[in-house]
Amino acid sequence: MQANLIDHFSQWATVDEAGRVILPAEIAARLGVLPGARLRLDEKGNQLRLLRPASQLTKVYIEPTTLCNLDCTMCERNGWDEKLGRMSAQTFEHIFRGLQEISPVPTVFFGGIGEPLSHPATVQWVKRVKDLGCRVELITNGTPLTEKRSRQLIEAGLDVLWVSIDGATPEHYADVRLGSELPKILANIDRFRRLRSGGHFPKPEIGIAFVAMRQNFNDLPALLQIGRQLGATLFSVSNVMPYTADMQSQSLYSKTLKNIAYIPSPMLPHLNLPKIDLDEFTQNAFIQAVNSGYHVNFAGNHFSNSNDVCNFVQSGTMSIAWDGYVSPCWPLMHTHTSYLHGKPRLSRRHTIAHVSQRSLLEIWNEPAYFDYREKVQSFRFAPCTFCGGCDLSEANEEDCYGNEFPACGSCLWSQGVIQCP
């Protein structure tokens, strides 16, 4: 507990005679800030925010497979026509050798479009990566979480087990996760919880990932309570990405995309709201205030802080698909169709290199890839999610600012609408 409290204490940077900011050595080391690194500086009012340098690789997403035992209504595979497959042992060896060269070691997240535990080698890969000293996370739909598999994951040293649950009742869950049953999933998680060693902070931690839709959003409070009973300490809620025309009716953000409360513009009137009790007495007035046409600041935090921010790039991540090709993020790992502003939008796959061609660090440090990350950090793309009026928003090929492929202005991840654990 003492260590957790210390982590929340403020630390101080100093400024030398030339006006240069000097970071504490432990923070610079943790962030991988080397001499000569460039850190983006955001100034808002009396606040300065330093962003992680685009040079530091901190997290690697590994997609073991695109195969899955379920047929979920909101799955990206409903909007593509790609070959399905599993990562080969040879491909993983290239990744593993690349991880050995990275210092400090990155977090490794096993997940993607398929079910990671349907790959026979995933648990073994978790252990090998953990033995390198990496923090290791994995997401699952929960169906393969047998007693044997649970023990293997715990013994492998997994740090976080994420389980996707999209309903708090068997009926609502079954409407989304076709081929699965909620009571069995909850029983699997409960057994996993009890198999962990004791203590105040048992490992692996348990996380719940929830995809919010009109048909299930009212289940969220009950699901939070269920998660607490199962020992979950992490919750991740995302909006649904409509990969089919029918799923558009399930979205909860059609007005949000054009709500000026989220637009970072000095020309808009500003509304500063304090922390208040959000209950049956205040909720209607609070919602009306947020939607009143003001740029909203809530308890010192701008609602617009989540706009035009790619958390994949901002957090220093790379994504590796099952076939070994490296992409900057999850949304660019596979060519797929989704829907934005009532129109289909084609997102073409963007890859940097194959892991057999160069090491992970060599791929990460390629000049063109580095320049792309810096461009995404400053987000010099057309506001397609807000506008969406021209044909250019219907693909990620180019935009009206002159950006060529991949143009990220239509990305809902960068607007804080869709998010991954």
Side-chain angles (χ1 to χ4, degrees):
M1 179 66 74
Q2 185 66 25
N4 288 344
L5 291 175
I6 291 174
D7 288 343
H8 287 84
F9 289 165
S10 296
Q11 299 192 60
W12 298 88
T14 57
V15 181
D16 66 13
E17 293 81 358
R20 294 171 295 198
V21 176
I22 302 173
L23 296 176
E26 61 271 21
I27 291 181
R30 190 162 60 246
L31 296 179
V33 179
L34 301 175
R38 300 202 315 164
L39 284 74
R40 177 180 159 192
L41 178 66
D42 282 353
E43 179 182 2
K44 292 190 176 182
N46 64 344
Q47 296 181 355
L48 293 176
R49 185 172 62 159
L50 285 174
L51 304 182
R52 184 187 299 274
S55 56
Q56 179 60 29
L57 176 57
T58 64
K59 189 171 186 177
V60 177
Y61 288 96
I62 299 176
E63 179 184 66
T65 180
T66 51
L67 298 170
C68 187
N69 60 319
L70 301 185
D71 186 18
C72 301
T73 60
M74 72 301 189
C75 182
E76 182 178 317
R77 293 182 302 167
N78 295 323
W80 77 8
D81 183 21
E82 282 206 2
K83 176 184 176 182
L84 303 179
R86 292 189 174 122
M87 182 173 286
S88 68
Q90 183 181 25
T91 294
F92 179 77
E93 290 304 322
H94 288 298
I95 298 171
F96 186 77
R97 286 195 292 271
L99 291 172
Q100 290 176 306
E101 300 175 359
I102 304 172
S103 180
V105 292
T107 294
V108 174
F109 189 107
F110 287 94
I113 303 305
E115 166 53 51
L117 291 179
S118 68
H119 194 301
T122 296
V123 175
Q124 174 193 350
W125 293 347
V126 168
K127 184 179 188 316
R128 292 185 63 193
V129 170
K130 184 61 184 178
D131 287 344
L132 290 179
C134 299
R135 174 181 170 85
V136 187
E137 304 182 28
L138 179 145
I139 190 166
T140 175
N141 61 38
T143 57
L145 207 60
T146 62
E147 179 175 350
K148 178 180 179 181
R149 189 67 58 80
S150 296
R151 291 185 185 277
Q152 289 174 336
L153 287 170
I154 294 169
E155 292 170 1
L158 183 69
D159 291 286
V160 181
L161 176 77
W162 288 95
V163 184
S164 297
I165 304 179
D166 305 306
T169 68
E171 296 78 17
H172 290 176
Y173 175 87
D175 285 343
V176 178
R177 297 270 165 182
L178 307 182
S180 183
E181 299 177 7
L182 181 60
K184 291 183 179 179
I185 301 303
L186 299 183
N188 287 350
I189 300 173
D190 186 53
R191 179 176 56 221
F192 184 89
R193 175 185 65 84
R194 289 183 282 105
L195 288 172
R196 299 179 303 174
S197 58
H200 293 295
F201 304 102
K203 287 293 183 72
E205 288 187 81
I206 297 172
I208 303 296
F210 177 80
V211 177
M213 297 170 263
R214 289 192 177 275
Q215 70 186 68
N216 71 354
F217 190 70
N218 288 332
D219 281 14
L220 182 57
L223 182 59
L224 293 173
Q225 182 61 33
I226 290 172
R228 188 174 293 112
Q229 294 169 355
L230 292 173
T233 54
L234 301 167
F235 292 87
S236 177
V237 180
S238 175
N239 279 293
V240 67
M241 172 66 87
Y243 293 110
T244 63
D246 291 343
M247 288 303 295
Q248 293 179 90
S249 63
Q250 291 294 329
S251 74
L252 298 167
Y253 50 86
S254 58
K255 297 179 181 178
T256 298
L257 294 179
K258 294 183 178 293
N259 192 332
I260 67 172
Y262 300 95
I263 305 303
S265 171
M267 304 301 293
L268 297 175
H270 281 58
L271 170 63
N272 292 310
L273 292 172
K275 293 180 180 179
I276 59 174
D277 293 336
L278 294 177
D279 53 28
E280 65 279 358
F281 180 75
T282 63
Q283 60 185 0
N284 288 335
F286 181 85
I287 292 172
Q288 291 180 43
V290 169
N291 292 320
S292 61
Y294 283 76
H295 170 70
V296 176
N297 185 304
F298 177 64
N301 296 291
H302 294 276
F303 275 21
S304 65
N305 280 352
S306 61
N307 281 50
D308 297 345
V309 176
C310 175
N311 286 320
F312 293 103
V313 168
Q314 200 62 64
S315 301
T317 77
M318 75 162 43
S319 300
I320 308 175
W322 68 272
D323 56 6
Y325 281 96
V326 173
S327 295
C329 60
W330 267 20
L332 290 175
M333 278 202 300
H334 302 285
T335 298
H336 63 275
T337 299
S338 60
Y339 285 78
L340 178 66
H341 299 306
K343 299 180 294 185
R345 174 181 178 270
L346 178 66
S347 179
R348 182 159 62 88
R349 184 186 198 189
H350 175 52
T351 61
I352 310 300
H354 193 276
V355 294
S356 64
Q357 297 172 329
R358 290 180 288 281
S359 71
L360 297 187
L361 277 180
E362 288 174 333
I363 294 173
W364 180 255
N365 290 321
E366 284 188 5
Y369 187 17
F370 181 85
D371 292 344
Y372 168 78
R373 296 197 303 272
E374 286 208 323
K375 179 179 180 179
V376 172
Q377 276 195 326
S378 59
F379 216 81
R380 300 188 293 268
F381 300 101
C384 300
T385 54
F386 179 78
C387 174
C390 73
D391 293 343
L392 294 178
S393 67
E394 297 176 16
N396 64 341
E397 298 292 343
E398 58 179 321
D399 66 23
C400 59
Y401 282 11
N403 291 300
E404 299 179 347
F405 175 81
C408 300
S410 296
C411 178
L412 294 181
W413 276 265
S414 65
Q415 304 307 317
V417 173
I418 312 294
Q419 58 183 8
C420 301

